[in-house]
Amino acid sequence: MTAQKITMGPAGLNIPDHPIIPFIEGDGIGPDVWSASKHVLDAAIELVYGGKRKIEWKEILAGEKAFNKTGEWLPAESLDIAREYLVSIKGPLTTPVGGGIRSLNVALRQELDLYVCLRPVKWYKGVPSPVVHPENTNMVIFRENTEDIYAGIEFGYNTPEAEKLLRFLTDELGAGKKIRFPESTAFGIKPVSKDGSERLIRAAIKYALEHKLPSVTLVHKGNIMKYTEGAFKIWGYELAEREFADHVYTWGQWENAKKTQGEDVANAKMKKAEAQGKLIIKDVIADNFLQQLLLSPKDYSVVATLNLNGDYISDAAAASVGGIGIAPGANINYLTGHAVFEATHGTAPRFANTNTMNPSSLLLSGVMMLEYMGWHEAAQCIEEALATTIKRKRVTIDFYNLMHDATLLKTSEFAVEIVKSMKI
Ligand code: NAD
C-alpha cells in the first residue's frame, strides 16, 4: 500500500486508504500528549480496519523545535507542507515573545485561511464538572476565525498612528466627540464582512443539517455593535432564508409573521416547522448566551459566532464539561479542504516531559480529524474506549485530583488503558 496525499476534488475530499498526514508535536507537554494520542489513533485504525487503512505520519517543524533546528519559529517549508497535504494535526505551540510572529496558531490560521474554528463541547460520563447536569451540554461551536478585533489592526496609546486616526475620525467622520479622552486613547479596529460572516454561518447550517441537529444559534452583541455584530445576525437570517429555504425556519420569519399575521399564527408556523423537522435558526445576545450556557444548555446545539465571542464562549462552555484538558478543536476551510486539528490547551511548560498531563484534548481533536476524513468507525471506537476508561476512573492527574477512588495514570499509561478498552 503506497502512501498518498489527501486531495480536494469537485465532490469534496479524496481520502486514500493510506493518507500522508503531517503533524506538529508541539512544545512543552506537546511531545507527551502527541505520542499518547498517536498511539491510540494508530491502534484504533489497525483494530477497526485490520490493516486496510493506515495513516502515514509526516512530521513538520514549528515552534521551539523548529526554532532550535532552523532559527525560525514557523519555517516556510512547514507552511508549504500543511498547504500541500490539506489535513494536519498539531499539539500546542509556544507563543514567541517579541519578533515578527504574534502567535504561530494565528499565523497558521491566516496563511491557510482557516475560517472556521470548530469546537464540539460534550460531556463524557465521569468527567469531573463544576455543574450539576453536565450531560445537558452537547453543542458544536463555529467561531469565525479570520476577522473581528483579532485582525490585529491596533494603534497604541500616544503613537503617531493613533494621533492620525483620531484626526481622521474627528475631521472626516465627525466621530471625535464620541471619544471620551482623545489625548490618551489607543485604538483597535473590528472588521466584520458580509462574505466572512456568510461563509461561517453557511458552514454551521450545513453541519447542522448533515448531522440532523435541531438548531443553529447566531450569538452576537448586535444591540451595541449594530454594523458589525448586528449585521452578522441579519446576514445570517438572510442567508438561511435565501440558501436553505426548504430546510430552515428562522426567528426572523417568526418576527415577520408576528408583525403581519399576529403572534398566534407566528407561533403555529414555528411549531409546524419544528414538527416538520426543519432546522430552527435563532439568535441570542452574547452576554445572555453566557448565562444560558449555565442555565439552559439543552436549548443549543450548533452555535455560530464572531471571533472574540467565540473565544470566550468556547472556553466557558468547555469548563462545564471538564475544561481544556479534554476539549478538542479544529480550524477548517471547507472550501479548500484545509484543516488543522489541534489541542485547545497551551504548552503548560511547567509540566513538559513529566508524562503526567491529559492527552484527551489532542486525542479527541484526532477523533474529529477521523470524522472529517469519513473514518467514522475508528472515531467511534476511540470515543467509546476513552469514555470507558474515564468511567473506570483510570485517569491522569487533572481528573484524579477531582475524583473519588480514582487510579492515577501517567499520560502514556492512560493511552495504553484506552487501547485496552477498545472494542469493535
Ligand atoms: P496552558 O493551557 O498551557 O496551561 C494552563 C494550565 O492548564 C496548566 O498549568 C495546567 O494546569 C492546565 N493544563 C493545560 N493543558 C493540560 C492538559 N493537557 N492536561 C491537564 N492540565 C492541563 O496555558 P498558559 O499557561 O496560559 O500558556 C502556556 C503557553 O502555551 C504560552 O506560550 C501560550 O501562548 C501557549 N498556548 C498555546 C496554545 C496553542 O498552541 N493552541 C493555546 C493556548 C496557549
Side-chain angles (χ1 to χ4, degrees), residues 53-184:
R53 285 178 169 167
K54 185 177 186 303
I55 291 176
E56 177 81 19
W57 301 105
K58 178 179 176 67
E59 178 160 19
I60 51 181
L61 290 177
E64 276 166 20
K65 196 167 179 181
F67 188 75
N68 293 339
K69 284 198 178 166
T70 69
E72 285 181 80
W73 288 95
L74 186 59
E77 194 196 347
S78 300
L79 266 177
D80 289 344
I81 295 173
R83 194 175 286 118
E84 185 180 345
Y85 289 84
L86 291 184
V87 176
S88 49
I89 184 164
K90 65 173 276 293
L93 292 173
T94 305
T95 302
V97 180
I101 296 180
R102 285 189 317 152
S103 153
L104 299 174
N105 302 302
V106 173
L108 266 171
R109 287 170 201 170
Q110 283 175 351
E111 286 290 331
L112 301 178
D113 193 22
L114 304 171
Y115 62 89
V116 171
C117 176
L118 185 64
R119 294 271 192 98
V121 184
K122 171 177 162 183
W123 185 67
Y124 291 89
K125 200 171 168 60
V127 171
S129 156
V131 301
V132 182
H133 288 293
E135 70 281 7
N136 287 348
T137 299
N138 188 357
M139 58 184 83
V140 181
I141 298 164
F142 278 72
R143 164 185 168 193
E144 205 290 323
N145 223 4
T146 61
E147 298 194 303
D148 200 351
I149 205 78
Y150 281 67
I153 312 170
E154 292 194 296
F155 303 102
Y157 156 74
N158 216 4
T159 58
E161 292 81 6
E163 165 73 14
K164 199 168 176 183
L165 187 56
L166 175 67
R167 259 187 280 122
F168 178 71
L169 288 169
T170 310
D171 301 344
E172 308 281 326
L173 300 182
K177 281 209 185 89
K178 292 185 176 170
I179 298 165
R180 182 68 189 82
F181 296 104
E183 302 312 320
S184 65

Side-chain angles (χ1 to χ4, degrees), residues 29 33 90-95 105 109 324-325 342-351 357-359 398:
I29 61 170
V33 292
K90 65 173 276 293
L93 292 173
T94 305
T95 302
N105 302 302
R109 287 170 201 170
I324 49 175
E342 66 172 353
T344 56
H345 54 76
T347 58
R350 236 166 22 98
F351 301 99
M357 291 288 103
N358 191 342
D398 49 333

